[in-house]
Amino acid sequence: MQALRKTRASAGLELVEVPAPQPADVRDGEVLVRVHAAGICGSDLHVDDWTSSYTFIAPSLPVTIGHEFVGVAQAGPLAGRRVVVRPSVTCGVCAACTAGEFDRCEQRRGIGMTRDGAFAAWVRVPERNCVPVPDGVSDELAALTEPLTISMQALRIAGDVKDARVLVMGPGTIGQGIAALARRAGAAQVVVSGFDDAVRLEALQRMGFTQQVDVARGSLAEGVAAFMDGQRFDVVFEATGVPETIQEALPLLRRNGVVVVTGIHARPLTLDLTPLVRNQHQLRGSFRPPESDWPLALDLMQELAPVLAPMVSHVLPLSQAAEGFALAHGKKACKVLLAPEPSDG
């Protein structure tokens, strides 16, 4: 079968022929999933570029990437059902896992990072990681489940945003999800900023977010001034992966305001902490949601389907993976999905 793989510890990906996993290859507690669609994530772009934040996968090379996906389980209780798959695979043997507290496992492997992922026709996954997809959710939306759970976690880390003034920095999939969920949670205002992000900002326009700033045309402070009415933001979400944006955001944040950082950054940040201390700003990191969020995310998919639909801009065959990555790297797309064809395996 064809598979998009990271084959060496340097920039680049390769679409290569590999043996398709067979039922005999499936270990206890695992199932094969026939992939319908898999999304290109910002993490995949970092892996392609081989930024320092992702060199941890080097010992696992070569590896098939892709971790945002929907497919059909081939065995077990969910045989024949469409499923999405949590990409974080718990170890099963640590104290947390043996106590059934899987969210606390610290010995994880990542599907599409340190074990083979879903930019292929078939992928072998733990059965317990499979979550059934409701009939009312399309493959295109189901493939957004993983990033939507990341957005859900960011809202949880922020706390109550009802009546809050919210700035979302970064108009990609995570930022789009945060904006949609913040508005659903009752935020009084949601402003979204990007850098030379016309396509993704246009998608947000279609999602109903009209207060937008493109910082390619000027500073963030200048861009948001028209929306602030002399007040500062209550909550800022960083979903850019560009660490310097936090420095730009802090002066726009009210006293006791919260910054939630969701981006994975390719370099460290030097930050003057004195203004943060004097303003009692709170800097919070947000990463992995609890496993229980996945069914809730699928419920939200059904509720918010018309809002979320513009987030997917391209569905390409797996054979056009290079074109899909070029679109994503060049900010010429929102979410790009790769769909294996029957001939791919």
Side-chain angles (χ1 to χ4, degrees):
M1 67 176 182
Q2 283 197 316
L4 186 65
R5 311 201 90 195
K6 188 72 176 179
T7 60
R8 60 189 184 278
S10 59
L13 299 167
E14 295 182 49
L15 189 64
V16 297
E17 288 288 331
V18 299
Q22 301 298 315
D25 301 324
V26 176
R27 302 168 186 169
D28 288 344
E30 294 183 332
V31 295
L32 290 180
V33 172
R34 175 76 188 197
V35 178
H36 279 190
I40 297 175
C41 171
S43 297
D44 299 320
L45 302 183
H46 283 295
V47 171
D48 185 13
D49 289 336
W50 202 237
T51 61
S52 59
S53 300
Y54 286 85
T55 55
F56 71 90
I57 74 172
S60 301
L61 301 182
V63 66
T64 301
I65 66 168
H67 60 276
E68 303 176 356
F69 64 102
V70 58
V72 175
Q74 302 299 302
L78 295 174
R81 295 279 304 276
R82 287 189 309 147
V83 297
V84 290
V85 180
R86 297 190 308 270
S88 182
V89 179
T90 52
C91 71
V93 298
C94 69
C97 287
T98 54
E101 299 176 3
F102 297 106
D103 289 325
R104 293 180 48 237
C105 177
E106 296 292 339
Q107 303 296 325
R108 297 168 180 266
R109 298 186 68 194
I111 294 171
M113 292 287 169
T114 55
R115 58 180 282 166
D116 284 337
F119 286 144
W122 296 92
V123 60
R124 178 174 57 85
V125 302
E127 183 180 297
R128 68 173 301 274
N129 284 52
C130 296
V131 183
V133 177
D135 291 339
V137 177
S138 67
D139 282 348
E140 289 77 13
L141 283 181
L144 297 178
T145 305
E146 193 269 351
L148 188 62
T149 67
I150 302 298
S151 300
M152 291 169 66
Q153 179 70 353
L155 265 292
R156 178 182 291 111
I157 294 297
D160 186 8
V161 298
K162 188 177 189 315
D163 298 325
R165 300 166 66 91
V166 172
L167 171 63
V168 180
M169 298 190 301
T173 307
I174 304 301
Q176 290 168 355
I178 289 171
L181 295 179
R183 183 174 61 189
R184 180 182 181 273
Q189 179 185 34
V190 179
V191 179
V192 185
S193 68
F195 182 88
D196 194 20
D197 271 304
V199 173
R200 297 189 290 191
L201 289 172
E202 192 276 332
L204 279 155
Q205 189 89 17
R206 292 166 57 200
M207 294 169 69
F209 297 97
T210 58
Q211 296 189 341
Q212 302 180 350
V213 176
D214 190 340
V215 295
R217 301 174 182 174
S219 72
L220 180 63
E222 293 168 341
V224 301
F227 307 125
M228 294 181 69
D229 299 325
Q231 302 182 58
R232 297 184 180 186
F233 293 101
D234 301 296
V235 183
V236 174
F237 293 93
E238 184 280 314
T240 66
V242 180
E244 292 79 11
T245 58
I246 296 170
Q247 293 175 319
E248 299 178 64
L250 287 174
L252 306 175
L253 189 66
R254 68 163 172 84
R255 183 175 176 82
N256 297 316
V258 175
V259 177
V260 178
V261 181
T262 69
I264 301 296
H265 304 94
R267 57 187 177 275
L269 170 68
T270 299
L271 182 64
D272 182 357
L273 293 176
T274 298
L276 182 143
V277 170
R278 288 178 172 162
N279 287 292
Q280 296 186 166
H281 288 156
Q282 300 175 49
L283 189 61
R284 304 177 184 176
S286 177
F287 183 48
R288 182 187 303 111
E291 293 182 356
S292 57
D293 271 4
W294 281 70
L296 300 178
L298 287 162
D299 290 341
L300 284 170
M301 290 288 183
Q302 294 190 89
E303 175 190 337
L304 299 176
V307 173
L308 302 179
M311 292 170 65
V312 177
S313 61
H314 294 75
V315 181
L316 302 176
L318 180 61
S319 59
Q320 293 182 24
E323 291 90 330
F325 270 74
L327 287 167
H329 274 300
K331 297 184 178 181
K332 303 300 182 185
C334 285
K335 178 61 67 177
V336 179
L337 304 181
L338 300 179
E341 297 177 297
S343 59
D344 292 330

